Amino acid sequence: MIKYIEEDVAEAQAQGESGEIKVAHYLFIMTFNVIGNLVLSRDLVSPRSIDGREFYDAMNKLTKWAGTPNVADFFPFLKWLDPQGIMRNMVQDMGQAMRIVEKFVNERTEEMKSGRKKTKDFLDALLEYEGDGKDEPDVISDQNRRTIILGASPRSSLSAALF
């Protein structure tokens, strides 16, 4: 995080700006990255990562939609209309987050097949899970795996509410 702050301040100063930072922004990034390192052994949000930025933006939008008062909650007969577009936007942004998580899972699967992966994390446990098939599934489905990973993110209540 300190490296990100130093790089952003230096870049801002090079452009003639003051170099002031928003501490809350970096604490939020740190939270995402701590969870990302526990679950996926990677930073989820990096100023230089396109996937990380898209994931961060999608999760921020989900938070915005989840916190927006919805007229359809007060008038249930309007629910099918979605007059404010809240549900449509939430589904779209959750789909974006799911696609990014799927990409992370696919990258890890390829690493495991090639033997490059050396560390063990939560995603490895999900990928290697084998149940008995009686009281639990033989393996965890791709959809459930993505949902579990999103549930481990700092915005876990959103993924639980949508699925």
Side-chain angles (χ1 to χ4, degrees):
M1 184 173 81
I2 292 172
K3 182 177 122 190
Y4 295 153
I5 292 171
E6 288 172 346
E7 289 173 357
D8 289 349
V9 167
E11 187 176 312
Q13 289 176 337
Q15 295 175 358
E17 298 173 14
S18 68
E20 294 177 4
I21 63 164
K22 295 179 182 175
V23 175
H25 172 75
Y26 288 98
L27 290 175
F28 189 71
I29 288 174
M30 182 187 70
T31 303
F32 258 84
N33 287 340
V34 165
I35 300 296
N37 279 289
L38 290 172
V39 176
L40 303 167
S41 295
R42 70 186 295 169
D43 285 348
L44 291 177
V45 181
S46 164
R48 311 300 179 240
S49 166
I50 294 171
D51 287 337
R53 172 55 57 194
E54 288 176 359
F55 185 72
Y56 176 83
D57 290 343
M59 295 306 280
N60 269 341
K61 288 177 187 174
L62 282 170
T63 302
K64 175 187 167 201
W65 300 128
T68 301
N70 192 347
V71 173
D73 290 341
F74 301 103
F75 302 103
F77 63 90
L78 293 174
K79 192 170 192 156
W80 67 276
L81 270 175
D82 191 23
Q84 296 165 277
I86 291 173
M87 193 52 124
R88 180 183 66 247
N89 289 325
M90 286 184 80
V91 167
Q92 177 183 346
D93 292 328
M94 180 56 78
Q96 176 70 11
M98 287 286 220
R99 284 187 294 277
I100 292 167
V101 168
E102 185 173 7
K103 184 177 177 183
F104 293 155
V105 171
N106 291 340
E107 286 173 4
R108 178 64 55 83
T109 303
E110 291 301 315
E111 287 176 2
M112 290 173 75
K113 286 179 184 175
S114 70
R116 291 180 292 164
K117 181 69 176 143
K118 302 292 184 220
T119 60
K120 279 280 203 197
D121 57 25
F122 186 68
L123 178 55
D124 291 324
L126 290 176
L127 290 169
E128 294 171 359
Y129 173 81
E130 292 182 15
D132 62 12
K134 294 177 185 171
D135 295 329
E136 55 205 28
D138 290 331
V139 294
I140 299 173
S141 71
D142 290 339
Q143 176 68 27
N144 287 343
R145 195 178 300 123
R146 288 188 302 263
T147 303
I148 290 168
I149 292 169
L150 281 175
S153 76
R155 307 293 184 165
S156 61
S157 62
L158 294 173
S159 57
L162 289 174
F163 296 99

